[in-house]
Amino acid sequence: MKNNYSIKAESIKPSATLVISNMANELKERGADIISLSIGEPDFSTPEYIIDRTKEALSEGKTKYSPVSGVSDLKKAIAWKFLTENNLKYDLNRIVVSSGAKSSLFHVFYALLNDGDEVIIPSPYWLSYPEMVELCGGKSVFVRTLPENSYKITAKQLSSAITPKTKCFVLNSPNNPTGVVYSKEELEAIARVVVENDIFVVSDEVYEKFVFNGKKHISIASLNDDIYKKTITVNAVSKTYAMTGFRVGYIGASEEIAKIVTNVQSHTTSGATTFSQFAAAAAIKENNSEDKKIIEEYSERRTALLCALSALDGVSFVEPDGAFYVMLNVSGYYGKKYDGRVIADSVDFCKELLNEGVAVVPGRPFGCDEAVRLAYTVEKSKIESAVRRIGAFLKKLS
């Protein structure tokens, strides 16, 4: 029988994050006691001032189509945010609002890539990058980063990976899944390579507010005019304001790229939900104390998780300075058995750990099969309980 389906679409793998999360939810529905450290979603309720603005927008009739690139109120708030927080000047015609950062990233890749164009992606990476690149006809070139260098790509590594087919480089700082944050000096070295080789940077800065341990987030586009012209800055309100379901992301880019992204978007999603955009504008402009409390809570959770993990035998991790994830190297337990079943890789590890009541995500889809990703998006008591269960699980392996 003739296969009538898209080869591109059939090659796309489901999100491992959502697969594990769904498995955990199914076990919970059967009555199992599962602590999930799998999904990168804040467990806080959306702050009340944002909910109030959403209700107002609905009452005001903000329920019709919006301009494809976003409503003026939100784009002005984003421009103000870029300028005051990131030292980036993006006029409104350089800003495009989309249905979440995923939508923004996909439209950016679609705007940049021709068939066969290469995209350099440091590994470990957020698992959706290569899938998006493939859907857009590009080819992912993975550069393996090392724990000895805190999972950061060096300028030398980037330079060595560039070929005549290279179109862009993906920078994610603070990083998902490793939590590492690039310093100004590291970004300056990377920027020189980018400019010298005339490629683009897609800078995913969704976790910019989640920076700890005295570190500081720096937008690579803010370093100088040359790198500014080569950078597409991607962000969203989802994580910072606990607004994942509102689906609002945005980019700052050159006028030419913004126009192409807008044109592409006009034939895909048509843009972000209208009333969500007014809620997002309020979130950005208010800079409310509730938002700061969320970041403070994550800092405390981070400390609790790292302290608990440090007491485990046979595992290791690179201390994360941002986002809300830890990559835990568990490869020392590969080849051991749980209930007679051999744990060969990170996928096996995660599946068996579910039997002990903890959901984490395998590192394989992130390009790091020796590790699993833990998200500290639950309260401290659950984090500590989850790590105790992990410890008990490790002791059962033989």
Side-chain angles (χ1 to χ4, degrees), residues 13 30 58 91 134 267 272 283 331 336 341 368:
K13 298 176 285 293
R30 295 180 205 158
L58 288 167
D91 296 330
E134 184 171 340
H267 295 290
S331 61
K336 294 183 180 294
R341 296 181 295 273
C368 187

Side-chain angles (χ1 to χ4, degrees), residues 305-348:
L305 177 59
L306 297 184
C307 182
L309 291 177
S310 296
L312 298 181
D313 293 326
V315 299
S316 62
F317 59 88
V318 172
E319 183 174 329
D321 292 320
F324 35 66
Y325 308 106
V326 175
M327 286 296 274
L328 185 68
N329 189 319
V330 295
S331 61
Y333 287 91
Y334 294 172
K336 294 183 180 294
K337 294 181 179 180
Y338 174 83
D339 198 22
R341 296 181 295 273
V342 176
I343 295 178
D345 52 29
S346 62
V347 176
D348 289 344

Side-chain angles (χ1 to χ4, degrees), residues 109 119-122 129 133 168-172 200-204:
F109 286 131
V119 179
I120 297 174
I121 303 175
Y129 293 141
V133 168
C168 64
F169 160 63
V170 177
L171 174 68
N172 180 206
F200 291 102
V201 177
V202 178
S203 182
D204 181 350

